[in-house]
Amino acid sequence: QQQVKQSPQSLIVQKGGISIINCAYENTAFDYFPWYQQFPGKGPALLIAIRPDVSEKKEGRFTISFNKSAKQFSLHIMDSQPGDSATYFCAATNAKAAGNKLTFGGGTRVLVKP
Amino acid sequence: NAGVTQTPKFQVLKTGQSMTLQCAQDMNHEYMSWYRQDPGMGLRLIHYSVGAGITDQGEVPNGYNVSRSTTEDFPLRLLSAAPSQTSVYFCASSFMGFGEAFFGQGTRLTVV
């Protein structure tokens, strides 16, 4: 049973466009929501993360929007570049629980066309 | 600064064989975990450890064993490999909880 649902599975965007990836979660105990970026042949790497006490977090061209009441959060990649082509995973965890564990979404493969 | 190191990078096993996937981290992280990555399934937690001598099961533990005798090492053992265990395996470590996890490069395992 997947507790974090991610969509779309893949998307293609032109250079300079906006990539939007959505995630929804079920467990209201989740209190930390990271996004990971994975290039082919590499392990995932932390990209940006948010806690539910804020509705938005921005780091450079990457922005997380968080809607606690809807139990949804999304990643926006502004001015998408070919170097952003990668697989993106949302995740969630209860950071305060002992032995807290990351629950991942299914991933979104992003292709940015030049 | 090596971070999280996994060996081997690739492995082909025959059904029924056993093997150990190695994972080592040099960041003095207390938390370590093993995930498997399958298309469309994201990363699923196999086993995790909150410190030396302490391990617990994740979402998909069947067919796998772990131990944590030192802070640095967290090997994953496949007891009797099955084709369903064909996957890419990632080891991760983190210092404060599992949110900011650092991943290794992965081991691509094929069971024939």
Side-chain angles (χ1 to χ4, degrees):
Chain A
Q1 182 179 355
Q2 195 172 32
Q3 294 190 49
V4 178
K5 295 184 179 180
Q6 183 172 346
S7 63
Q9 285 191 323
S10 64
L11 68 91
I12 300 173
V13 62
Q14 293 294 128
K15 179 182 175 181
I18 302 173
S19 304
I20 301 175
I21 305 169
N22 299 301
C23 287
Y25 64 97
E26 300 170 3
N27 188 343
T28 55
F30 289 152
D31 61 1
Y32 182 77
F33 302 88
W35 284 87
Y36 284 82
Q37 181 187 53
Q38 184 183 31
F39 294 106
K42 303 293 186 182
L46 180 66
L47 180 66
I48 186 173
I50 196 169
R51 297 188 187 277
D53 53 345
V54 297
S55 60
E56 186 175 281
K57 183 173 181 180
K58 183 176 180 180
E59 290 186 1
R61 296 183 292 106
F62 299 90
T63 299
I64 302 177
S65 298
F66 187 84
N67 185 331
K68 187 174 181 179
S69 60
K71 292 187 288 185
Q72 295 176 347
F73 58 110
S74 60
L75 176 70
H76 290 61
I77 307 174
M78 314 300 287
D79 186 26
S80 297
Q81 300 296 312
D84 297 331
S85 297
T87 300
Y88 293 82
F89 293 96
C90 62
T93 187
N94 181 348
K96 295 187 293 294
N100 55 48
K101 304 174 289 291
L102 282 169
T103 299
F104 284 88
T108 298
R109 183 170 294 183
V110 174
L111 176 62
V112 181
K113 289 194 168 182
Chain B
N1 191 1
V4 179
T5 303
Q6 289 183 238
T7 56
K9 287 187 170 53
F10 302 94
Q11 183 71 48
V12 178
L13 285 179
K14 293 183 178 179
T15 297
Q17 286 185 319
S18 63
M19 79 160 294
T20 299
L21 279 62
Q22 302 291 344
C23 176
Q25 54 93 6
D26 61 359
M27 297 174 281
N28 201 31
H29 286 165
E30 290 188 340
Y31 299 137
M32 296 187 74
S33 49
W34 277 101
Y35 294 86
R36 59 176 290 172
Q37 182 176 18
D38 302 291
M41 304 287 289
L43 291 101
R44 292 182 292 169
L45 183 65
I46 304 171
H47 285 284
Y48 66 99
S49 169
V50 299
I54 306 170
T55 64
D56 205 347
Q57 296 181 349
E59 180 184 355
V60 288
N62 293 340
Y64 308 94
N65 271 356
V66 292
S67 60
R68 184 97 179 269
S69 56
T70 67
T71 299
E72 295 78 19
D73 300 300
F74 191 43
L76 177 72
R77 280 181 286 277
L78 278 71
L79 309 174
S80 177
S84 61
Q85 293 178 304
T86 294
S87 187
V88 181
Y89 291 85
F90 287 99
C91 178
S93 73
S94 60
F95 180 58
M96 294 177 64
F98 288 91
E100 299 185 42
F102 294 82
F103 285 81
Q105 298 270 44
T107 295
R108 183 174 294 273
L109 176 68
T110 302
V111 182
V112 298

